[in-house]
Amino acid sequence: MFKLIKIFDTTLRDGEQCPGASLNPEEKLEIARQLAKLNVDVIEAGFAIASQGDFDAIKAIAQQIKGPSICSLARTKKEDIERAWDAVKFSDKPRIHTFIATSPIHMAKKLHMTPDQVYKQAVDMVKLACLLCPDVEFSPEDAGRSDPNFLYKIIGAAIDAGAKTINVPDTVGYTTPWEFGQLIENIIQNVPQIKEKNITISVHVHNDLGLAVANSLAAVRAGATQVECTINGIGERAGNASLEEVVMTIKTRKDIFNCKTNINTKEIYKTSRLVSNLTGMLVQPNKSVVGANAFAHEAGIHQHGVLQDRSTYEIMQPEDIGLTESKIVLGKHSGRHALQKKFSDMGYQLDKDALEKAYQRFLQIADKKKDISERDLEIIVAEEVYIVPEEYSISKIEVKSGTKIKPQAKVELFFKGKKIKKSAYGAGPVDAVYKAIAALTKVNASLLDYSIQAITGGTDALGEVNVRLKGKDQEKIYVGHGADTDIIVASAKAYLAAINRLLYTASK
Ligand code: KIV
Ligand code: ZN
């Protein structure tokens, strides 16, 4: 009999806190929908008091997403807890997750509070949260650097106040697996209420030393029954424990963990792609489980082994995470039905309008490129289906560049039903295009970074460009990506996508 480990996904809260990953409410909803298909137990949808956008997104997710518990983060403050409740109360399974720091350094330097004051505030606010919400989780922030005796005391009191889940965070990713596992074991032994009331012990580990997954798994071995994690491991600084790594380790090494999760692992790859596409946070090729090379066998000796028997070099099957190249080969003669079938094999259910948009884009690419890969199709979905309304769109782009010529771009955009145009010179063709677009849109933003990569092999591959922009008078960062067989066009699309996102967010 395997013990169930609950998966608490915080991609939309801690994951979204990482620099450059800001998502708009529609995108958050789309990710939440996919997290529900992945079958996570809890979705931490945001931090309701942080902004109106966060509140709206949590509320929409609570109203529309069925299956997982929907949770909002809240400090142990009355206004935070009430705001969190106002957002999650629409869910069938609402949860408030409230936290206060318990480490000496956080209490003294950040909160300017004594341990007694922290203790009292935690108890009072857990009680308030329990009056509003049937399911309350409490976190002693920076538990990894807290005095264990103080932790036992505050955790016991939070349980007496009504918390059903106690989450133990290693907020700064400081501990090592054996220390963290020992901490969890000690907490379970020294807080009798945990066993008496069958409390869920959860862990939330950051990856500053690259130990987030190892520490989370050490905690599972020590008795934790919930793991907080994010898709692709995104999150504050070096990120959080990666959901796919935690889940696939528990599944692959059932023999030592004796545990299972509710995750539908066949949705992992798609979820990873969706989160990467919408946040603009690229996945490194050698990333465990979901990286482009995770199942690629390059060395002849490996290929030979895999051809004889896959288990020679594969401890997981690509199909386990939903990575399948289905038999349908798409090219320019394929029709809408074949495309729809292929999308559905890949797990995307597109409605009529979305399919039509995707189909038109597919035809454009198929005209320039012989074989359309699944990665190309993912880009089509990301570009044509999950987009913010376009204030500006491309009508025409012409560039002149080469040796002994000053690079020049002529850009024509659609704006409010009219065509507007501008030409500009630049250090190179992309710079010239960006200067013309900046002049046309009059958006005051600076380009933080620009990256380009070939999505699939061959010189006819789609080039994918990712840009990050910072609004001049705002803290926020806006990502945009664009793909095209012409890298200048891909660059223009990415830049314009980020500008449209900035304008859309500003209008909300
Ligand atoms: O890292 C952390 O401590 C957190 C808490 C709010 C759980 O994100
Ligand atoms: Zn965190």
Side-chain angles (χ1 to χ4, degrees):
M1 192 58 180
F2 295 112
K3 181 159 78 167
L4 179 70
I5 306 299
K6 288 181 249 177
I7 298 296
F8 175 116
D9 181 277
T10 183
T11 306
L12 297 176
R13 199 277 297 168
D14 215 324
E16 209 239 0
Q17 269 170 239
C18 70
S22 68
L23 296 161
N24 64 42
E26 289 82 356
E27 291 166 332
K28 285 191 171 184
L29 190 58
E30 204 50 54
I31 291 177
R33 226 172 249 132
Q34 180 55 33
L35 290 172
K37 282 198 204 153
L38 186 64
N39 210 24
V40 301
D41 299 278
V42 186
I43 296 176
E44 187 163 53
F47 192 176
I49 198 137
S51 70
Q52 186 62 40
D54 244 32
F55 179 87
D56 293 341
I58 301 168
K59 184 172 162 185
I61 291 168
Q63 283 169 326
Q64 296 182 45
I65 305 300
K66 303 292 166 219
S69 299
I70 307 298
C71 172
S72 168
L73 187 66
R75 287 167 299 183
T76 48
K77 291 188 172 196
K78 185 168 181 290
E79 59 277 22
D80 279 42
I81 289 170
E82 287 172 350
R83 191 80 174 138
W85 174 240
D86 281 343
V88 296
K89 67 183 176 198
F90 302 94
S91 167
D92 300 338
K93 295 192 226 160
R95 177 179 293 192
I96 294 177
H97 173 195
T98 188
F99 73 100
I100 188 164
T102 50
S103 63
I105 180 155
H106 276 224
M107 290 190 288
K109 299 277 159 62
K110 182 179 85 169
L111 299 174
H112 306 289
M113 287 168 80
T114 63
D116 284 348
Q117 288 169 325
V118 166
Y119 176 90
K120 181 170 181 330
Q121 187 165 314
V123 171
D124 289 350
M125 291 302 119
V126 170
K127 278 188 187 155
L128 172 69
C130 292
L131 283 178
L132 298 170
C133 184
D135 183 7
V136 172
E137 169 170 330
F138 171 70
S139 289
E141 190 193 6
D142 205 13
R145 292 190 299 170
S146 300
D147 169 5
N149 288 315
F150 184 52
L151 279 182
Y152 309 150
K153 184 173 148 187
I154 201 165
I155 288 173
I159 296 172
D160 292 340
K164 293 205 172 103
T165 300
I166 296 296
N167 178 48
V168 183
D170 181 8
T171 304
V172 291
Y174 179 70
T175 61
T176 54
W178 44 95
E179 271 176 298
F180 198 60
Q182 190 62 57
L183 176 67
I184 298 302
E185 207 172 305
N186 291 345
I187 289 173
I188 295 172
Q189 265 170 18
N190 286 284
V191 184
Q193 295 95 317
I194 294 174
K195 284 201 185 114
E196 283 159 23
K197 298 194 179 169
N198 198 15
I199 297 296
T200 298
I201 292 297
S202 167
V203 289
H204 174 116
V205 188
H206 280 269
N207 204 28
D208 299 66
L209 293 172
L211 294 172
V213 171
N215 283 351
S216 304
L217 293 171
V220 166
R221 289 263 282 170
T225 50
Q226 174 178 287
V227 177
E228 301 199 355
C229 41
T230 60
I231 301 296
N232 302 335
I234 64 171
E236 280 278 10
R237 305 182 308 280
N240 290 63
S242 121
L243 180 147
E244 57 279 7
E245 293 175 27
V246 169
V247 167
M248 290 311 289
T249 305
I250 291 175
K251 182 175 160 90
T252 308
R253 298 308 310 275
K254 280 199 258 353
D255 55 328
I256 57 160
F257 284 99
N258 252 316
C259 294
K260 61 174 184 181
T261 69
N262 283 326
I263 295 298
N264 175 2
T265 62
K266 293 199 182 323
E267 294 289 330
I268 284 180
Y269 183 68
K270 192 154 83 72
T271 318
S272 161
R273 298 301 326 147
L274 179 67
V275 168
S276 173
N277 283 329
L278 293 186
T279 57
M281 304 281 296
L282 302 181
V283 174
Q284 75 196 55
N286 60 327
K287 162 91 175 62
S288 313
V289 184
V290 291
N293 295 349
F295 292 95
H297 303 282
E298 185 72 29
I301 199 164
H302 289 202
Q303 289 176 347
H304 180 68
V306 169
L307 287 173
Q308 307 296 313
D309 182 335
R310 290 170 77 170
S311 60
T312 49
Y313 284 99
E314 275 184 6
I315 56 164
M316 300 169 269
Q317 312 277 285
E319 298 81 33
D320 292 344
I321 61 154
L323 189 57
T324 51
E325 275 288 343
S326 75
K327 302 286 171 288
I328 305 172
V329 178
L330 293 175
K332 68 177 173 189
H333 301 298
S334 308
R336 288 175 182 75
H337 281 305
L339 187 64
Q340 186 171 31
K341 171 79 175 79
K342 180 83 179 181
F343 276 132
S344 139
D345 287 351
M346 290 166 65
Y348 294 105
Q349 305 304 335
L350 303 193
D351 66 21
K352 205 161 156 261
D353 289 352
L355 179 68
E356 190 52 38
K357 279 194 197 162
Y359 184 63
Q360 294 309 326
R361 179 86 177 97
F362 163 79
L363 288 181
Q364 284 170 5
I365 297 175
D367 228 20
K368 299 183 198 160
K369 187 171 188 285
K370 193 165 162 280
D371 297 321
I372 307 287
S373 70
E374 289 194 352
R375 188 72 185 91
D376 295 327
L377 295 176
E378 280 175 6
I379 292 294
I380 293 180
V381 174
E383 275 205 340
E384 300 297 326
V385 184
Y386 302 129
I387 48 166
V388 299
E390 287 185 322
E391 188 105 3
Y392 293 93
S393 59
I394 297 171
S395 161
K396 204 162 68 182
I397 291 183
E398 273 174 39
V399 288
K400 278 193 205 149
S401 71
T403 51
K404 300 194 178 137
I405 181 170
K406 192 164 182 198
Q408 187 191 11
K410 291 184 183 161
V411 174
E412 191 174 270
L413 300 181
F414 290 114
F415 176 59
K416 299 197 166 145
K418 289 199 187 123
K419 286 182 184 167
I420 51 175
K421 50 184 165 184
K422 187 96 198 161
S423 73
Y425 291 99
V430 173
D431 188 44
V433 167
Y434 281 20
K435 286 202 165 109
I437 293 178
L440 284 170
T441 57
K442 300 186 187 74
V443 165
N444 201 2
S446 50
L447 184 64
L448 294 182
D449 51 56
Y450 168 96
S451 67
I452 182 161
Q453 64 179 55
I455 295 173
T456 43
T459 47
D460 63 350
L462 280 180
E464 185 183 24
V465 173
N466 282 282
V467 299
R468 297 198 308 145
L469 287 186
K470 186 158 192 261
K472 278 277 158 57
D473 7 280
Q474 301 162 353
E475 277 304 295
K476 283 206 157 200
I477 293 170
Y478 299 89
V479 297
H481 46 252
D484 202 280
T485 46
D486 181 321
I487 56 173
I488 305 297
V489 177
S491 303
K493 281 183 180 173
Y495 191 53
L496 215 50
I499 286 181
N500 281 326
R501 186 176 288 242
L502 184 153
L503 293 169
Y504 179 65
T505 311
S507 71
K508 290 237 119 193

